């Protein structure tokens, strides 16, 4: 079964540093997403990306965050000037079409970010 | 209004028993309600989903019951097995201003099925 792959699986960074999390969505998917999950809490939507631009973003996704699809396969999340509260599991996801009936969103295994 | 409230936080069931997880929402614009299963160290995986025009959907041992008037929906796992032990998240989505949809997740239920 095709899968969403994410790197790195775990990254430790110092507060104030920039971090780039990388994702390779499923090849024929058109919609890409980042979600995050703070330890022990629920999964929260960050941003969706379609047709080479941000489709929707949450309140969490402020100027500290940016996304990019630098080539035909990768989808990246950049976090500038990381804060302690950015420590979380970041999930990349993709879907063939809009996420509703018949269009499944597939999640990667996550990138665990620890800010110290 | 964007919240989805999920209960219980944790659930312990004997093998062969029925596991029931409940969710409630406020925003009537939600029109798609999936359930996700998450094993430790893995991303959430779609289990089953329902739209509000039906009151029940069954796939194998998993059933979603949907009560539109009460704005509640629940997941029933029949004949629960130890391999079902995982965290279950309900979610809801609606078509937003963009062309994609975002999922609003519940807080999760840690299910443990005892052998």
């Amino acid at each position: 079964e095709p899968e969403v792959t994410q790197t790195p699986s775990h990254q430790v960074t110092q507060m104030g540093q920039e971090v780039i999390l990388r994702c390779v969505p499923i090849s024929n998917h058109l919609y890409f997403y980042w979600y995050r999950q703070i330890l022990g809490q629920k999964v929260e939507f960050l941003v969706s990306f379609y047709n080479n631009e941000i489709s929707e973003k949450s309140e969490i996704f402020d100027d500290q965050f940016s996304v990019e699809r630098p080539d035909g396969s990768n989808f990246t999340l950049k976090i500038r000037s990381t804060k302690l509260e950015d420590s979380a599991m970041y999930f990349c996801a993709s879907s063939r079409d809009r996420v509703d009936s018949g269009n499944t969103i597939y999640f990667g295994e996550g990138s665990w970010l620890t800010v110290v | 209004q964007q919240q989805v409230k999920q209960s219980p936080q944790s659930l312990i069931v004997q093998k062969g028993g029925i596991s029931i997880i409940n969710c409630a929402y406020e925003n009537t614009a939600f029109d798609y309600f999936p359930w996700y299963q998450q094993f430790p160290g893995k991303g959430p995986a779609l289990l089953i989903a329902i739209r509000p025009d039906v009151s029940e959907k069954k796939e194998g041992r998993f059933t979603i019951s949907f009560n539109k008037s009460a704005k509640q929906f629940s997941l029933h796992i029949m004949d629960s097995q130890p391999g079902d032990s995982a965290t279950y998240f309900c979610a809801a989505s609606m078509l937003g201003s963009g062309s994609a949809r975002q999922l609003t997740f519940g807080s999760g239920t840690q299910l443990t099925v005892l052998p």
Side-chain angles (χ1 to χ4, degrees):
Chain A
E1 186 174 293
E3 56 182 23
V4 176
T5 56
Q6 290 185 241
T7 54
S9 57
H10 188 193
Q11 182 160 353
V12 180
T13 190
Q14 287 205 323
M15 192 168 53
Q17 295 297 304
E18 176 181 284
V19 163
I20 298 176
L21 305 178
R22 293 182 168 80
C23 169
V24 179
I26 294 172
S27 62
N28 64 346
H29 284 189
L30 301 176
Y31 292 79
F32 314 113
Y33 314 83
W34 283 100
Y35 284 78
R36 82 172 184 188
Q37 186 177 27
I38 295 171
L39 186 63
Q41 298 187 22
K42 64 182 179 182
V43 179
E44 300 174 292
F45 170 78
L46 292 178
V47 65
S48 60
F49 192 86
Y50 170 71
N51 202 25
N52 286 318
E53 61 182 18
I54 289 174
S55 180
E56 293 196 33
K57 60 183 180 179
S58 70
E59 294 174 350
I60 303 168
F61 194 87
D62 59 21
D63 292 343
Q64 182 194 6
F65 295 89
S66 62
V67 289
E68 194 177 36
R69 189 158 162 81
D71 52 44
S73 59
N74 291 285
F75 180 51
T76 62
L77 174 69
K78 182 188 290 186
I79 310 174
R80 286 180 284 272
S81 188
T82 49
K83 299 176 279 193
L84 294 175
E85 54 264 38
D86 294 328
S87 296
M89 178 75 88
Y90 289 81
F91 291 107
C92 176
S94 70
S95 62
R96 179 70 179 92
D97 205 330
R98 282 202 326 246
V99 178
D100 56 8
S101 182
N103 293 293
T104 302
I105 181 173
Y106 292 87
F107 286 83
E109 294 195 348
S111 292
W112 183 249
L113 175 65
T114 302
V115 182
V116 296
Chain B
Q1 259 214 331
Q2 285 289 81
Q3 278 193 340
V4 177
K5 294 183 180 179
Q6 184 172 347
S7 63
Q9 189 175 12
S10 62
L11 180 62
I12 299 174
V13 173
Q14 292 286 341
K15 179 182 175 182
I18 302 174
S19 304
I20 301 175
I21 305 170
N22 301 299
C23 284
Y25 63 98
E26 288 294 323
N27 193 338
T28 55
F30 286 137
D31 63 355
Y32 174 65
F33 301 89
W35 283 89
Y36 285 84
Q37 180 187 56
Q38 185 181 30
F39 292 104
K42 300 289 187 181
L46 179 67
L47 196 59
I48 186 173
I50 197 168
R51 301 205 74 142
D53 50 349
V54 297
S55 60
E56 186 174 283
K57 183 174 181 180
K58 185 175 181 179
E59 289 183 3
R61 296 185 293 109
F62 302 93
T63 300
I64 300 179
S65 296
F66 189 85
N67 186 329
K68 188 174 181 179
S69 60
K71 292 185 282 188
Q72 295 175 347
F73 58 110
S74 59
L75 175 69
H76 296 233
I77 306 174
M78 313 300 286
D79 187 27
S80 300
Q81 299 296 313
D84 297 331
S85 297
T87 300
Y88 292 81
F89 291 95
C90 62
S93 86
M94 62 182 177
L95 187 60
S97 55
S99 57
R101 282 173 172 256
Q102 58 174 282
L103 292 169
T104 300
F105 283 85
S107 54
T109 296
Q110 177 87 44
L111 172 65
T112 302
V113 181
L114 301 175

